[in-house]
Amino acid sequence: MNLLQKSIISYSSYYIKKQLEKKFILKNDVMIEKQASKDTMLYIHIPFCHTFCTYCSFHKFAYEESKCKQYFKILRKELELLHSLGYSFNTLYVGGGTTLINEEELLITLQLCKKLFPIKEISCESDPNHIDENKLQMFKGYIDRLSCGVQSFNDDILEKTSRLAKFGNSKQLIKKLEKAIGILPTFSIDLIFNFPFENEEILLNNINIAKSLNPEQITFYPLMKSNITKKAIAAKFGQGAKDNEYLFYKIICDEFSDYKQNNAWSFSKNKNSFNDEYVSTHHEYIGAGSGAFSFQNNKLLINAFCLDEYEKLINTKQNANISYIDFTNEDVIDYVFLSEFFSGSVDINKLNKAYNCDIIKHLGINYKALEFLNITNTKNNIINTTFFARYLALVLMKEFYINMDKLREHFKKAINQ
Ligand SMILES: C[S@@+](CC[C@H](N)C(=O)[O-])C[C@H]1O[C@@H](n2cnc3c(N)ncnc32)[C@H](O)[C@@H]1O
Ligand code: SF4
């Protein structure tokens, strides 16, 4: 990167951080509005894992079968409540934690979702211990896309992320993946790049193994270090002297030039809008489950993080929201622009029509700078992205997620987690 590019990246990261800090004003008088929108997506959170990984800030608890079964029971109650409020969803994204941690309970829940809502697509996340062929067969006709966290095929990194003992070494992971890929329509391998001290050799080895396994999708997340995880990452890895994010991203994009890019960090054999970034493909979504976020009508709503509170709220108030943040129309347009930019191009007319705005005017000097510096180029009312623009989008989305972790941090502290 040259000096100008470095300045653009630093300025943009700082800008989004400050913007989000200003917006995060939590309000507690929660009321969910009934709104049966056709294109709304349903997100379900399964907050359980057997053990925890060094870098992971997602909302989760240690798995206990009885706790998990009770959780699924309450979750299904919440889904029935959403249905009775008039909600209708065509897409379901199940995230975690480990969504397949109790396959039987998950299957009953997916069956209920299909009965209640006209759901056409279901995506789930798993770890490598829950992709057993026989278990996956149970989900045929239910799960359309399964992403499996692998993170790295390097045993040293697996050990430092606390995943080696839990999920096996590189050879064992490859064996598990070989058996699982192909059972469900789309299988995605999730990897993380830019761990401290990761070198080009490790990165290229990860790319080559992932490609040779031939899944439909491969997602390469840049390592995100938020307040919740940065100490643990530094304790296990130490502080890398050099940040290789840009260099490694360039290598990844070059190595995946024969793939379609779904967004800044996801690659498919065929272009697929159904990827891990539900936030970027669906601008409005409703979250069910403990710690789930919903975004609708300019509001980010937050469900109770504490499992007992979640259960109590569903049973007494029939609504698990404990807090919300208000956003202005301008904020929503910024957010929609970021997610479209992250997906690779922005259709000006479509965005103007959907949000009754003039996006070019809205972006003002930022748009002029992007075009003047040849970071984007607009043709036929489509803002097209260059390689550097995609890297910029990756940095901005990473910053967005790191800042979302500040909310998780706040609610985790509130329940002494
Ligand atoms: C919510 S996790 C669930 C995956 C599953 N439980 C597992 O561990 O295999 C989904 C994916 O997000 C990515 N992820 C989680 N924390 C991350 C971080 N700090 N930086 C980059 N990617 C991260 C990982 O690739 C992970 O597989
Ligand atoms: S990465 Fe997956 S298994 Fe590890 S703690 Fe996070 S959700 Fe759990």
Side-chain angles (χ1 to χ4, degrees), residues 196-209:
F197 302 104
E198 183 175 357
N199 58 31
E200 275 185 53
E201 195 189 328
I202 296 176
L203 177 71
L204 282 166
N205 194 43
N206 283 342
I207 296 172
N208 291 335
I209 296 177

Side-chain angles (χ1 to χ4, degrees), residues 245-261:
E245 188 182 72
Y246 178 77
L247 171 70
F248 285 6
Y249 186 58
K250 177 103 190 59
I251 294 174
I252 292 167
C253 289
D254 287 347
E255 294 292 323
F256 282 97
S257 57
D258 51 339
Y259 278 56
K260 309 268 182 317
Q261 200 163 354

Side-chain angles (χ1 to χ4, degrees), residues 48-49 51-53 55-58 60 96-98 127 151 163 166-167:
F48 296 102
C49 294
T51 48
F52 301 157
C53 309
Y55 55 82
C56 180
S57 60
F58 287 91
K60 71 238 171 226
T98 305
D127 67 31
Q151 324 314 356
R163 291 179 69 98
K166 212 179 358 172
F167 303 125

Side-chain angles (χ1 to χ4, degrees), residues 104-150:
E104 289 72 21
E105 288 292 334
L106 178 67
L107 186 60
I108 301 170
T109 309
L110 298 186
Q111 284 164 340
L112 175 70
C113 288
K114 287 234 175 191
K115 193 177 120 201
L116 297 176
F117 310 114
I119 288 176
K120 294 195 195 82
E121 278 183 317
I122 300 183
S123 177
C124 284
E125 288 169 352
S126 184
D127 67 31
N129 284 354
H130 291 87
I131 53 169
D132 172 78
E133 310 170 68
N134 298 324
K135 293 274 184 182
L136 288 191
Q137 297 285 356
M138 284 165 45
F139 291 97
K140 272 190 167 174
Y142 289 97
I143 301 180
D144 302 284
R145 177 182 171 280
L146 180 68
S147 70
C148 177
V150 174

Side-chain angles (χ1 to χ4, degrees), residues 5 32 51 84 91-92 142 148 167 198 269:
Q5 289 175 323
I32 195 160
T51 48
S84 67
T91 306
L92 167 60
Y142 289 97
C148 177
F167 303 125
E198 183 175 357
K269 289 204 262 169

Side-chain angles (χ1 to χ4, degrees), residues 67-230:
K67 250 194 194 173
C68 182
K69 280 190 163 185
Q70 177 64 8
Y71 176 77
F72 268 103
K73 199 171 129 199
I74 304 301
L75 176 65
R76 290 194 284 270
K77 198 164 174 185
E78 189 182 10
L79 294 168
E80 301 263 15
L81 288 167
L82 287 170
H83 178 254
S84 67
L85 283 169
Y87 280 95
S88 177
F89 308 104
N90 54 23
T91 306
L92 167 60
Y93 191 100
V94 192
T98 305
T99 68
L100 276 109
I101 202 155
N102 187 317
E103 286 94 347
E104 289 72 21
E105 288 292 334
L106 178 67
L107 186 60
I108 301 170
T109 309
L110 298 186
Q111 284 164 340
L112 175 70
C113 288
K114 287 234 175 191
K115 193 177 120 201
L116 297 176
F117 310 114
I119 288 176
K120 294 195 195 82
E121 278 183 317
I122 300 183
S123 177
C124 284
E125 288 169 352
S126 184
D127 67 31
N129 284 354
H130 291 87
I131 53 169
D132 172 78
E133 310 170 68
N134 298 324
K135 293 274 184 182
L136 288 191
Q137 297 285 356
M138 284 165 45
F139 291 97
K140 272 190 167 174
Y142 289 97
I143 301 180
D144 302 284
R145 177 182 171 280
L146 180 68
S147 70
C148 177
V150 174
Q151 324 314 356
S152 182
F153 290 102
N154 177 275
D155 289 349
D156 186 32
I157 292 182
L158 291 172
E159 203 276 315
K160 289 190 166 107
T161 52
S162 315
R163 291 179 69 98
L164 186 76
K166 212 179 358 172
F167 303 125
N169 62 22
S170 174
K171 273 193 189 144
Q172 290 162 324
L173 286 174
I174 293 169
K175 275 203 184 124
K176 289 182 191 182
L177 290 163
E178 277 169 346
K179 287 188 190 152
I181 293 171
I183 297 176
L184 298 171
T186 300
F187 193 98
S188 178
I189 293 183
D190 285 353
L191 294 157
I192 299 179
F193 72 97
N194 198 29
F195 281 106
F197 302 104
E198 183 175 357
N199 58 31
E200 275 185 53
E201 195 189 328
I202 296 176
L203 177 71
L204 282 166
N205 194 43
N206 283 342
I207 296 172
N208 291 335
I209 296 177
K211 282 178 94 171
S212 70
L213 287 164
N214 213 15
E216 286 74 23
Q217 276 180 23
I218 298 171
T219 304
F220 252 107
Y221 295 99
L223 177 66
M224 301 180 208
K225 297 184 227 171
S226 69
N227 285 346
I228 305 178
T229 55
K230 61 184 175 202

